[in-house]
Structure formats: C-alpha cells, structure tokens
Amino acid sequence: MRRRHLLISLAAGPATVAQAHHGWSSFDQDRPLFLQGTARKVAWRNPHVEFDLELPSEPALPADLSRRALPAQSASVDGPRLLAAARLPTRKDRVWHVELAPLTRMEAWKVAEIKNGDRVEVLGYTTSGEKGEPVLRAEYLFVGAQAYGLRSSPA
C-alpha cells in the first residue's frame, strides 16, 4: 500500500509543477506595472525563479523610472516605452507573487541570487484587468543600481 501511495504521488507531482508555470501569453503586455519591495519566500529554481514581493504601505513610482538605462537583450523589447508607460497596480494587495526568468537566463545575465529580505524592483505584467491572484511576470528586474532584461538573453 505504501508503494502504491508513492507511485500515485510521483505521478501527480509533475502535473502540479506544470500548472504553476505561465507563458507570456496569459499576461497583459499592454499595461506594464512597476512594483518595489522586499523579497520573501524566494525559490531560486526552474522552471523560473520566483518569490513573493512585500510592497511598502504606500507604493510609488520612482521619479527617475522613465530615465533608467536598460541593458540590450536579444529579443526586441522597447524598454524605454515600457518605463514611460509603467504604472502602479490598481489592486491594493500588499504581497505579489513575482515570476522571473529560468535559471539559465538568470545565469546569462549574471544576476546574483536574490535572498529573503532583499530589496528589489520589477517592471512586468499581470493578468488582464488585474483579475485572479496578484502575480507579476517580470520583464525587467532592478537590484540596486543594476537592471536586467529578462525576456531573453543579453545582446
């Protein structure tokens, strides 16, 4: 009986992981959102790095956001346009789940492993109309003075 339970658990495992992974198509890429806060529950693993981001009580857009330098990446992304169009979410959740890139891409960008308690900023997308869970798929990651483009590899 114990062996049967183990086989059932193993068979169910991959389906659970596959459901957790999202492609870009499920996110509203016409409405870039900016979030900043403290990383919690960091999972530095595939299919992509993810963490919960605890926002400050009064989120705000940085005054310099539209003027930030962005790195070139192999995919065609109009970073300056995204920065200029960035807004805060309309929903008032204090914790958002943030999805970054796969580990191979994080390594290509030489992103230092994010730890619980690190301050980070992200520009990305959530679902259309901000429906469902507060999830953000990151297009750009800002850690300290460094910016990373996560759609593709460095150019």
Side-chain angles (χ1 to χ4, degrees), residues 111-132:
V111 179
E113 186 171 340
I114 296 169
K115 306 279 189 211
N116 288 325
D118 285 353
R119 301 275 304 152
V120 297
E121 300 174 334
V122 289
L123 178 73
Y125 315 103
T126 192
T127 55
S128 180
E130 296 184 31
K131 293 182 180 13

Side-chain angles (χ1 to χ4, degrees), residues 3-154:
R3 181 182 165 131
R4 182 173 175 218
H5 178 71
L6 176 62
L7 290 174
I8 291 170
S9 295
L10 289 173
T16 303
V17 172
Q19 289 176 344
H21 185 258
H22 303 282
W24 286 95
S25 64
S26 60
F27 295 90
D28 182 357
Q29 297 178 56
D30 293 325
R31 193 168 175 272
L33 298 181
F34 177 84
L35 300 175
Q36 63 182 343
T38 305
R40 306 278 187 231
K41 298 181 184 175
V42 177
W44 200 262
R45 63 176 183 229
N46 280 316
H48 49 74
V49 174
E50 56 190 312
F51 57 88
D52 287 347
L53 186 65
E54 185 178 317
L55 278 56
S57 58
E58 296 294 326
L61 291 175
D64 72 335
L65 185 62
S66 65
R67 296 183 307 277
R68 289 187 182 182
L70 296 172
Q73 49 184 324
S74 57
S76 177
V77 177
D78 188 350
R81 182 189 65 78
L82 293 175
L83 290 177
R87 61 187 77 173
L88 296 172
T90 57
R91 59 190 302 158
K92 301 301 179 197
D93 299 275
R94 288 287 310 278
V95 177
W96 282 69
H97 188 74
V98 177
E99 299 176 353
L100 300 180
L103 284 177
T104 54
R105 196 169 312 140
M106 300 297 282
E107 291 167 0
W109 282 103
K110 298 183 179 7
V111 179
E113 186 171 340
I114 296 169
K115 306 279 189 211
N116 288 325
D118 285 353
R119 301 275 304 152
V120 297
E121 300 174 334
V122 289
L123 178 73
Y125 315 103
T126 192
T127 55
S128 180
E130 296 184 31
K131 293 182 180 13
E133 298 294 317
V135 174
L136 187 85
R137 180 70 186 253
E139 181 80 64
Y140 288 98
L141 170 68
F142 303 93
V143 181
Q146 188 66 44
Y148 305 96
L150 301 181
R151 174 72 63 129
S152 60
S153 298

